[in-house]
Amino acid sequence: MKRCRNGEVWDFESEMPEGDRGVILGLDGGTASTVCICMAAGMPAPSGLLPEPFPVLARAIAGCSNHNSVGETAARETIERVMAQALLKARATRSIVQAVCLAVSGVNHPSDQERIRDWLRGIFPSHVKLFVENDAVAALASGTMGKLHGCVLIAGTGTIASAYTEDGREARAAGAGPVLGDWGSGYGIAAQALTAIVRAHDGRGPQTMLTFNILRELRLSSPDELIGWTYSDTSWARIAELVPVVVSSAEAGDEVANRILRGSVLELAESVMAVVKRLGLCGGDGKGTFPLVMVGGVLQPNKRWDIGKEVVGCVSKVYPGVQPIRPKVEPAVGAALLAWNCFVREFAGELAY
């Protein structure tokens, strides 16, 4: 096990007594934050329902770990630091880790997975099972108890729809980032709202409550100041934080805000239907059932505007067998459950062998 590149992040292990209980690490990494949880490897298999509260030994949180946003070096430093913090809080060391699942946004190709696995092999002992996935996998697993079957829709700062079959096939839609048009995302909603303000200000678009509400939120006095605010820091998460203002404006009756949200619903529903169709999740007649796990701040219900509910309504018109799930555990727990399921299967296989 190599000495790590992240300064003194693992120094606590020299003072930690050797433990005899195995642990699992699950990490959910996104543009806004990165969460790592530590759970016992010896947890009994859940029988249909997850225990409440879920038995997490420790939880740690850090910043962005999407390498497309902050670069590979910074992303790795964040991941390594948050894993170390979770183990420190659990009073555990890398020597008793049995499996690790990193589910990180920006992992979009097998070469990404292999590159990160190689890096992890330099951090953990050789016996540790290593799994690297896109963050959509953790989100799905959080609603299916670690099983990879069904569809997941993430709509937070960014958006992606992914679907998986029990025989290992998968498909995805959207998730290409704001430049390539993730318009159902928090960033997409807020960016359209900012554009609508500029258009209203220079006479190219209708007047909208968004002008007053967003300027007040940002403590700006004129739409002209939006240009400086926007380009002073173009981080996607910073823009996406304006989504609640768009929703409240829509709930107050603003037609421009309502049009933006209706468009986002259609974008998100189309992403779900695209992956369901490609994998045939509903069978040949399109009437079979499938779980749709919905994760992310954009999909959380509001007073009158429930984007998630509207998306399900659109999807159900084409695929009536959709079964929406709002997970009761966070995606990092889903990542840990995925690693735990794989670890248990492999362990059982080794015993049988």
Side-chain angles (χ1 to χ4, degrees):
M1 190 162 52
K2 297 178 183 177
R3 181 69 182 170
C4 293
R5 315 159 181 75
N6 206 0
E8 300 174 347
V9 70
W10 298 106
D11 280 0
F12 71 91
E13 290 184 321
S14 62
E15 301 176 2
M16 194 75 69
E18 283 291 325
D20 54 3
R21 57 175 184 173
V23 298
I24 304 285
L25 290 179
L27 184 143
D28 170 52
T31 305
S33 64
T34 301
V35 176
C36 183
I37 72 108
C38 180
M39 61 175 266
M43 184 189 77
S47 55
L49 294 173
L50 290 175
E52 293 187 35
F54 187 82
V56 172
L57 299 176
R59 179 181 188 271
I61 187 167
C64 175
S65 57
N66 184 325
H67 64 88
N68 292 326
S69 298
V70 296
E72 189 123 339
T73 299
R76 289 183 176 186
E77 287 177 354
T78 296
I79 291 170
E80 189 172 0
R81 183 169 62 252
V82 78
M83 291 191 299
Q85 289 172 350
L87 286 174
L88 173 60
K89 289 182 177 181
R91 298 194 60 76
T93 65
R94 289 171 289 173
S95 63
I96 64 169
V97 174
Q98 301 300 317
V100 177
C101 178
L102 300 190
V104 186
S105 65
V107 174
N108 299 319
H109 191 272
S111 63
D112 296 327
Q113 294 173 300
E114 189 55 39
R115 189 172 66 253
I116 296 173
R117 269 196 299 268
D118 286 344
W119 169 66
L120 288 174
R121 290 187 186 106
I123 293 176
F124 290 97
S126 59
H127 72 269
V128 179
K129 309 295 184 185
L130 302 173
F131 306 94
V132 179
E133 305 286 353
N134 183 271
D135 61 335
V137 171
L140 175 64
S142 70
T144 61
M145 293 187 297
K147 299 175 183 176
L148 287 187
H149 172 68
C151 182
V152 59
L153 174 64
I154 300 176
T157 299
T159 183
I160 187 172
S162 295
Y164 303 83
T165 62
E166 292 178 345
D167 60 4
R169 293 179 298 123
E170 62 182 85
R172 57 176 285 176
V179 175
L180 298 179
D182 282 353
W183 293 121
S185 68
Y187 177 92
I189 291 170
Q192 289 180 80
L194 293 174
T195 300
I197 294 173
V198 173
R199 290 177 62 85
H201 181 58
D202 63 20
R204 290 177 297 142
Q207 295 302 307
T208 168
M209 292 181 192
L210 291 168
T211 300
F212 176 80
N213 292 341
I214 286 182
L215 291 180
R216 180 179 59 183
E217 176 72 16
L218 300 179
R219 298 181 180 179
L220 302 177
S221 58
S222 165
D224 292 324
E225 297 179 14
L226 272 181
I227 298 173
W229 180 87
T230 300
Y231 294 108
S232 65
D233 179 355
T234 56
S235 70
W236 306 342
R238 175 173 174 261
I239 303 294
E241 288 173 357
L242 294 173
V243 167
V245 184
V246 183
V247 173
S248 64
S249 299
E251 290 176 340
D254 184 73
E255 180 52 34
V256 173
N258 273 287
R259 186 168 64 245
I260 290 171
L261 295 185
R262 287 194 297 267
S264 298
V265 167
L266 292 176
E267 289 280 352
L268 296 171
E270 286 174 358
S271 294
V272 171
M273 291 186 289
V275 295
V276 170
K277 180 179 180 179
R278 280 158 58 191
L279 293 186
L281 278 184
C282 287
D285 61 2
K287 296 182 179 179
T289 61
F290 69 95
L292 172 59
V293 179
M294 299 189 297
V295 176
V298 170
L299 300 174
Q300 297 305 307
N302 292 284
K303 295 176 183 177
R304 287 180 298 201
W305 243 113
D306 187 336
I307 294 176
K309 182 178 179 181
E310 295 293 329
V311 170
V312 172
C314 284
V315 173
S316 66
K317 293 176 182 177
V318 180
Y319 298 113
V322 60
Q323 298 177 329
I325 297 173
R326 295 186 188 267
K328 295 185 178 180
V329 296
E330 63 183 329
V333 173
L337 285 171
L338 178 62
W340 180 80
N341 280 335
C342 293
F343 166 71
V344 169
R345 282 197 302 269
E346 290 193 21
F347 183 71
E350 290 172 0
L351 288 180
Y353 181 80

